[in-house]
Structure formats: structure tokens, C-alpha cells
């Protein structure tokens, strides 16, 4: 079981308590891997306390804040079980749903994703989520469900396939959809946040959304090509019309305003095209550097296999 931890000092103890209670309903042999994404509060101290109380709890502390999905990767790299649960630390995804996910997985699925039937988030967050997934679905030509996030249960072979994808820009739900396998869904109750507030600001969400769209789709480039062809077609249409009006004497003086507007429009279009191409080149440059996805500062030694 893997959970990325950030700004969760007040929630770690309850998280572990509820996870242990839920996982023991399935088997006494399990491990809980809590990955501290270099949280600035006392989350790591609380994780170490839980590790001392229960040897089935393991902790990783990254060397800096790499991001939620990099932290998930760090935890998955350490997993040794046949079935792995991924769960955010804020307890909005309820640990009590894990036995039901496991039971659903036994019906022949390789992964079962939790579908939140009634998200307990602010209306603005739900609106942005719907908009983001709609755009992502369009750009990637895949169906993206805003009710599905990280929470789910995954067979070891699914996790192994995801871990083979070592690109620097990571978004766990999209990576899981890309690898495929037999996928099931289970409607679950979505709870209100126990403490604090989301660490994602609007700017961070927009930045992450842009990164994901650039990493998992080349459709913006194809849309630019199509738009350029349409624009070129319009130019070829306007040239004979303009010449005909000139020959008929309907144009006696060149229009300064139309000239300036044309220059502004084409200049803006060229800058936009160069910007999109530049973003893709920048992401390619970042990937070819082949830097580690994350770095671990501290970790507990793994005990015997659960």
C-alpha cells in the first residue's frame, strides 16, 4: 500500500490507524509505505512514530519536494506485494473502501479504480477538474473520468508496467490508463477533507495540466497545422477577390488599418506556434537529460516480505 504524504502532520496517525484496520480485514500480511514528499511540517516525525509502533509501516523521505506523482513512483518502486493500493493521505478517499476494491479485483480484473460518486470538494475545484479532463480527453483521444483519481488497487504486473515508464513528467492516472490491462471500476464514497486544505494552488494546477497535456499528446501541434492550412486556404481565397475588386476600381487606396491588423494577427499566430513548438522542445530537452525521477533522503530498511 502506497500513500504520498504532504502537509499531513495532523492526519498521519489516523491514516495509519484506518489503513491497518482495513488491510487486516483482507490479510495480516501487508506493508504500508508512506512517502514524505519533503513536507515542510512535521509529517516525517509523525511517520517515524508510526514506524516504531508497527513494523508493517515503512517510510521514505525524499530529498526535496518532487511532486505527488513522483512520490507515488518512489513508493511503488519499493512495493513487494502482489496487490498494491494507492491512496492519497488526505483521507478524502476512505481506507474502509479497500476491502471492497480487493473483492472486486478477485472477479478477474488486473486493476480496480475507485470512482467517487459525489466529490466533496469546492465547486471551483470540481469545475476545473471537469474542464481539465474534458480537454485532456480531447487532446489524447481517450476517455478521462474526472471522478477517478489515484485511488485504486493494482496487480503487481500493472505496477511493473507503469514503472517501466520513466519519463520525468508523471501523472499516475493517465499512465495507468495507457498501460491497459483488465480494468474494473467501483463506486465509492468520497469524504470531506479531515484537516487543512489542498496543497495545490490554482497556478500549480494549471502548470501541471499544461505539463500533462504536453507529455501525453501531440494534438496541439496537429491542430496548429490544421489551423495553418485553413488560414492559408483563406489567403488563397482572398487574393483573387482583392484583385477582382482592384480591377473593377472598387479599391482606390490601400487600407492602413487592415494592413496593421493583418500584421498583428500573423505575428501573434507565429509567436503562438513558436511557443507551442518551444514547449515541446523544452519537454524533450528535460527528458533526454535522464535525471532521476526522485531522490531519497531517508528510508527504513524493509523487513521480511509481508
Amino acid at each position: 500500500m502506497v500513500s504520498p504524504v504532504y502537509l499531513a502532520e495532523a492526519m498521519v496517525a489516523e491514516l495509519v490507524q484506518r489503513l491497518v484496520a482495513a488491510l487486516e480485514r483482507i490479510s495480516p500480511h501487508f506493508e504500508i509505505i508512506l512517502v514524505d514528499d519533503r513536507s515542510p511540517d512535521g509529517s516525517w516525525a509523525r511517520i517515524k512514530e508510526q514506524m516504531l509502533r508497527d513494523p508493517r509501516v515503512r517510510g521514505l523521505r525524499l530529498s526535496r519536494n518532487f511532486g505527488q506523482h513522483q512520490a507515488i513512483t518512489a513508493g511503488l518502486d519499493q512495493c513487494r506485494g502482489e496487490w498494491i493500493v494507492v491512496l492519497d493521505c488526505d483521507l478524502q478517499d476512505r481506507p474502509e473502501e479497500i476491502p471492497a476494491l480487493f473483492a472486486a479485483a478477485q472477479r478477474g480484473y488486473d486493476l480496480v479504480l475507485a470512482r467517487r460518486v459525489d466529490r466533496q470538494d469546492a465547486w471551483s475545484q470540481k469545475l476545473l477538474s471537469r474542464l481539465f479532463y474534458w480537454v485532456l480527453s480531447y487532446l489524447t483521444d481517450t476517455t478521462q473520468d474526472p471522478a477517478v483519481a489515484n485511488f485504486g488497487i493494482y496487480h503487481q504486473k500493472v505496477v511493473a508496467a507503469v514503472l517501466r515508464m520513466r519519463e520525468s513528467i508523471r501523472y499516475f492516472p493517465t499512465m495507468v490508463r495507457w498501460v491497459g490491462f483488465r480494468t474494473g471500476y467501483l463506486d465509492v464514497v468520497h469524504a470531506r477533507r479531515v484537516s487543512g486544505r489542498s496543497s495545490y494552488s490554482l497556478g500549480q494546477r494549471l502548470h501541471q495540466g499544461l505539463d500533462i497535456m504536453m507529455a501525453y499528446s501531440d494534438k496541439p501541434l496537429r491542430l496548429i497545422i490544421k489551423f495553418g492550412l485553413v488560414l492559408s486556404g483563406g489567403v488563397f481565397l482572398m487574393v483573387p477577390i482583392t484583385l477582382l475588386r482592384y480591377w473593377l476600381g472598387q479599391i482606390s487606396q490601400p487600407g492602413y488599418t487592415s494592413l496593421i491588423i493583418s500584421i498583428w494577427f500573423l505575428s501573434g499566430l507565429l509567436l503562438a506556434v513558436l511557443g507551442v513548438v518551444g514547449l515541446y522542445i523544452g519537454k524533450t530537452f528535460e527528458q533526454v537529460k535522464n535525471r532521476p525521477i526522485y531522490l531519497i533522503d531517508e528510508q527504513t530498511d524493509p523487513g521480511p516480505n509481508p
Side-chain angles (χ1 to χ4, degrees), residues 64 66 70 166-168 289-295:
R64 65 170 177 83
F66 282 89
Q70 285 78 0
R166 305 306 286 186
E167 54 257 40
S168 57
K289 289 188 288 188
N290 199 28
R291 291 179 178 175
I293 296 171
Y294 60 86
L295 295 172

Side-chain angles (χ1 to χ4, degrees), residues 95-109:
E96 290 77 14
E97 305 283 0
I98 293 175
L101 287 169
F102 180 73
Q106 303 313 301
R107 300 178 194 137
Y109 296 113

Side-chain angles (χ1 to χ4, degrees), residues 219-230 269 272-277 280:
K219 202 166 188 178
L221 290 174
R222 289 184 276 122
L223 289 174
I224 287 175
I225 293 172
K226 292 178 182 178
F227 182 68
L229 291 175
V230 171
L269 179 63
V273 171
L274 289 174
V276 172
V277 174
Y280 276 101

